[in-house]
Amino acid sequence: LEFNVCSSEYKQPTVLKEINASQFNLSENAKNNAQNLQNALDFCKENNINRLIIDKGVYYFNIAEPILIADMKNFELRAKNTRFVFYSPITCKEGIVYFKIVNCDTVKFTGLSIDWDVKKAPLASLVKVVNRADTYVDFECMEDREIPETSVFITTNAVNDKTFTPGVEGGREYNINGNAAETFLNREKIGEKTYRCYQDILSLSSLFFKPGTYHLIRHFMYNGGAFSLSDSKHITFENVTLYAVPGFGIHVHGHSSHFWFNGFKITLPDFEKRYITATADGIHIRQSDGNFKFENCDLGYQGDDCINIHDNVILVRERKSEREFVISTTSNFPCDTGDCIELRRADLSPFGFFSEVERIEICGKERIVTVKDPLPASLAYGCVAYNRAYNSAHYEIRNCAFHETRARGILAQASDGMIENCKFYNIQGAAIQIESGASPAWSEGTGVDNLVIRNNEMINCDINDWDKGVLYMSTFLPAGIPIKNTKFANETTTVGDSGADFRTAYPMFTNITIENNLFKEYPRRAMILTSFDGVTLKNNIFKNEVPRELNNPERGSVWAAYGKNLKDENNIFEPSPYMNMPKIENDC
């Protein structure tokens, strides 16, 4: 397969002029370098300076608004082993972006490390459960500090008791936000570093908060990001490292395309003991123009997925008139006049309807979208809309490592992709997830065509049996085929991101090749494959040599359903007493 990720060549800036940021008083001695750096960037823009040099050192930033890089072309920010440490007095519901890049062309960042002042506001805290009662749980902070009174408890996630990284058999996450509270109902300090947190613990499974277990409590989640990039192209991150951010590492959106991540790292620092990097996704690409390349990257210790590539979907609320339909304003679905909208049925099968947006009217929490052509007569609640003005397809991910993250390694939810020669290890969820669907809570992915996954190692992934598959490919819908509708005794009951209980038989995933990969030490399925037409499994090796506390009868197997044209060629399931099921369960 040939991929045209770089249809326009990456251009190194032609250095006509360069300046040093020290000329604008950027200094290690300054308490806040935000305005100094902004002044330097503005000067570069106004005077066509092609390169801004940042000397080696540690620079502090107390930001009330993002540092803006807008409308710049052929520009490089070249750091010399430099660390930027950011801070903003934000609350849990608010967020701040370190850098906002808008409408830029051919911009390069190199040699830069990005950090957050964790002494002023820790992103997370490592705790040990010392007591569990019916109405409260007691945590002891295991770090060389107390938990600040201002720190909210957003999630608690069980971690390994030796490495203190996400993923432990039987471990579970307690999403406090998901239980209609910003924090526990109440908490009080009952010892030097011990905290009593009140909640209806009696209603929880015994898997939660066992005394003696360790948890990582996140104090931030989606509270901004290090880089927000919109409507930009030919952006390069080379040898850039991200240590800490209260939100996304990099968030790409709008009509952005042709990004190259080379030697990009999201990792823990070696100069200080920490347990988390980005509290949300490492790299989140949504509703873009595609063409992305990742090479020699190392992404780990995130609070969510390492890489997520997708376009957005939204549920239709109602057909209001012949050319008007209603969608929500609360879901993230960019839509402008002139965009091309595709409408699909509730099972994601196409109406064959495409039309241009003429007008958008916002009424409270609803958007009334008017299109040029008459809508399908059967359009109703549960049908979905795609914005075809965007297409995040064409991406290559090569020679990268994904590890020690709370969620998934890669969400490959766009077409024309290549994932090869990568290592996935110690990941709480799936190594690779390919998904599409819509629900009132969450909607993501418009289907995938032409994806190659080859020569990868996936070791100790889906550790706590979260996704029930190391490679998970399925849909999630508010209606359709019940997930439990299978002919096998040990049915796969995995649900989608939304918690929806339904799949579709419509082939949302086509021309998928999974070859020459190693799947090793996982709790249940190696793969779950549904809603497809054309999947090739070739020369993959499946190994489980280590027993678990619970050796599930599904352990080691591949499960396929609601699909067609599945090819099974030379796959090797190495004999093991811990793999009892038929090797490939084909329920198609």
Side-chain angles (χ1 to χ4, degrees):
L1 295 176
E2 294 182 0
F3 289 84
N4 194 23
V5 172
C6 303
S7 59
S8 297
E9 183 182 354
Y10 289 106
K11 300 173 183 177
Q12 295 295 327
T14 301
V15 182
L16 302 176
K17 301 177 183 177
E18 67 178 31
I19 58 172
N20 194 298
S22 62
Q23 296 175 229
F24 297 85
N25 299 317
L26 197 77
S27 168
E28 291 186 87
N29 297 321
K31 293 182 178 180
N32 185 6
N33 281 287
Q35 191 58 56
N36 298 336
L37 181 57
Q38 188 66 69
N39 291 342
L41 290 165
D42 291 345
F43 183 86
C44 290
K45 177 181 173 180
E46 293 164 5
N47 294 276
N48 296 316
I49 304 297
N50 300 100
R51 179 180 289 162
L52 178 64
I53 302 293
I54 312 291
D55 290 334
K56 179 179 179 179
V58 179
Y59 301 84
Y60 286 86
F61 298 81
N62 191 332
I63 54 176
E65 57 186 28
I67 293 169
L68 181 63
I69 303 176
D71 304 306
M72 296 187 75
K73 188 172 183 178
N74 295 325
F75 173 74
E76 179 184 12
L77 190 154
R78 176 174 290 188
K80 298 180 177 180
N81 193 19
T82 304
R83 182 162 66 103
F84 284 176
V85 182
F86 287 85
Y87 174 73
S88 178
I90 59 177
T91 65
C92 180
K93 285 189 174 181
E94 298 171 338
I96 192 70
V97 173
Y98 302 171
F99 288 95
K100 186 175 182 180
I101 294 97
V102 182
N103 195 33
C104 289
D105 184 352
T106 315
V107 171
K108 181 178 182 180
F109 300 88
T110 184
L112 182 65
S113 297
I114 301 293
D115 208 350
W116 171 261
D117 196 335
V118 297
K119 289 183 172 61
K120 289 184 178 178
L123 300 181
S125 296
L126 178 69
V127 299
K128 181 179 181 179
V129 178
V130 294
N131 185 32
R132 170 183 157 148
D134 291 347
T135 58
Y136 63 82
V137 58
D138 294 339
F139 297 112
E140 180 185 359
C141 182
M142 305 305 293
E143 303 195 37
D144 295 330
R145 58 168 173 79
E146 297 180 357
I147 300 176
E149 290 185 12
T150 55
S151 293
V152 295
F153 290 13
I154 301 177
T155 65
T156 68
N157 193 78
V159 295
N160 185 285
D161 63 0
K162 296 180 179 61
T163 63
F164 306 122
T165 54
V168 57
E169 182 175 356
R172 290 293 181 268
E173 176 175 270
Y174 186 57
N175 188 334
I176 302 159
N177 273 351
N179 289 274
E182 286 182 8
T183 182
F184 283 94
L185 298 177
N186 191 16
R187 81 174 191 260
E188 60 180 325
K189 188 176 179 184
I190 61 171
E192 182 180 356
K193 294 195 294 180
T194 306
Y195 305 84
R196 178 159 293 172
C197 300
Y198 293 90
Q199 199 67 278
D200 182 12
I201 306 299
L202 186 63
S203 65
L204 297 179
S205 163
S206 60
L207 292 173
F208 289 91
F209 305 134
K210 289 182 179 180
T213 60
Y214 292 83
H215 294 252
L216 192 65
I217 296 177
R218 274 186 289 174
H219 306 309
F220 296 89
M221 192 182 296
Y222 301 108
N223 302 106
F227 292 88
S228 172
L229 300 103
S230 62
D231 301 313
S232 297
K233 58 186 178 180
H234 302 115
I235 308 298
T236 299
F237 290 90
E238 188 166 49
N239 298 324
V240 171
T241 300
L242 172 61
Y243 290 129
V245 58
F248 293 108
I250 292 185
H251 187 201
V252 179
H253 53 102
H255 289 289
S256 297
S257 69
H258 296 91
F259 282 30
W260 185 27
F261 296 86
N262 184 27
F264 180 82
K265 294 181 181 180
I266 300 180
T267 191
L268 298 174
D270 57 9
F271 53 80
E272 189 172 66
K273 187 63 176 176
R274 299 185 196 170
Y275 303 97
I276 197 167
T277 52
T279 60
D281 291 359
I283 300 174
H284 191 100
I285 297 171
R286 65 163 176 86
Q287 215 80 336
S288 73
D289 289 342
N291 292 280
F292 301 98
K293 181 180 286 189
F294 305 83
E295 294 181 300
N296 311 307
C297 297
D298 186 333
L299 307 182
Y301 311 101
Q302 289 103 164
D304 212 326
D305 310 305
C306 294
I307 295 178
N308 186 351
I309 303 173
H310 66 92
D311 289 314
N312 284 6
V313 185
I314 195 166
L315 284 175
V316 173
R317 289 193 169 187
E318 66 172 307
R319 184 183 190 272
K320 191 173 181 65
S321 69
E322 184 182 50
R323 294 191 299 114
E324 294 177 318
F325 65 94
V326 179
I327 58 176
S328 170
T329 59
T330 56
S331 296
N332 201 332
F333 185 77
C335 182
D336 297 306
T337 56
D339 287 352
C340 177
I341 293 293
E342 179 188 1
L343 296 174
R344 292 200 174 195
R345 298 180 180 90
D347 66 353
L348 303 181
S349 63
F351 283 114
F353 178 88
F354 297 81
S355 188
E356 184 180 329
V357 176
E358 282 191 341
R359 185 175 67 253
I360 300 172
E361 181 182 357
I362 297 178
C363 300
K365 293 184 178 181
E366 293 184 340
R367 280 179 284 179
I368 302 172
V369 181
T370 304
V371 293
K372 282 188 174 181
D373 303 292
L375 296 166
S378 59
L379 185 71
Y381 173 80
C383 293
V384 299
Y386 298 165
N387 188 344
R388 292 302 190 185
Y390 298 91
N391 183 8
S392 294
H394 301 288
Y395 52 96
E396 299 175 5
I397 305 175
R398 288 190 171 94
N399 304 315
C400 297
F402 305 92
H403 55 96
E404 275 96 9
T405 192
R406 168 198 153 268
R408 285 66 58 106
I410 299 174
L411 269 67
Q413 302 181 128
S415 296
D416 298 316
M418 172 73 77
I419 303 171
E420 68 174 350
N421 299 326
C422 294
K423 293 184 178 181
F424 302 81
Y425 57 95
N426 300 340
I427 294 176
Q428 181 165 280
I432 299 173
Q433 183 161 308
I434 308 159
E435 202 168 40
S436 175
S439 79
W442 192 253
S443 301
E444 228 176 60
T446 56
V448 177
D449 176 62
N450 187 29
L451 173 63
V452 176
I453 301 169
R454 68 186 181 198
N455 300 331
N456 303 288
E457 293 182 0
M458 306 178 202
I459 302 173
N460 203 30
C461 295
D462 192 29
I463 301 173
N464 69 352
D465 199 4
W466 180 15
D467 289 316
K468 301 179 177 67
V470 177
L471 194 156
Y472 179 82
M473 185 174 77
S474 189
T475 58
F476 59 98
L477 299 166
I481 301 171
I483 282 176
K484 294 184 180 181
N485 183 20
T486 76
K487 68 183 181 184
F488 296 103
N490 296 289
E491 60 195 17
T492 294
T493 57
T494 305
V495 297
D497 277 343
S498 67
D501 289 323
F502 301 96
R503 293 190 169 106
T504 180
Y506 182 78
M508 292 299 296
F509 314 109
T510 54
N511 302 309
I512 310 295
T513 299
I514 304 166
E515 63 181 0
N516 300 324
N517 301 287
L518 171 64
F519 295 80
K520 184 177 179 180
E521 305 308 337
Y522 47 95
R524 192 176 287 204
R525 307 279 192 184
M527 302 182 210
I528 292 174
L529 309 170
T530 78
S531 310
F532 63 85
D533 184 358
V535 171
T536 298
L537 306 179
K538 183 178 180 180
N539 298 331
N540 298 290
I541 298 175
F542 305 88
K543 302 173 67 172
N544 281 297
E545 301 172 326
V546 179
R548 290 171 59 89
E549 292 178 19
L550 174 62
N551 286 305
N552 193 286
E554 297 174 346
R555 190 179 185 194
S557 60
V558 173
W559 183 71
Y562 318 123
K564 56 185 178 180
N565 296 318
L566 174 67
K567 295 181 181 180
D568 170 18
E569 302 178 10
N570 302 318
N571 294 291
I572 299 173
F573 292 82
E574 295 198 355
S576 168
Y578 315 118
M579 294 168 56
N580 301 322
M581 286 290 294
K583 305 311 179 188
I584 295 183
E585 300 173 80
N586 190 343
D587 195 15
C588 296

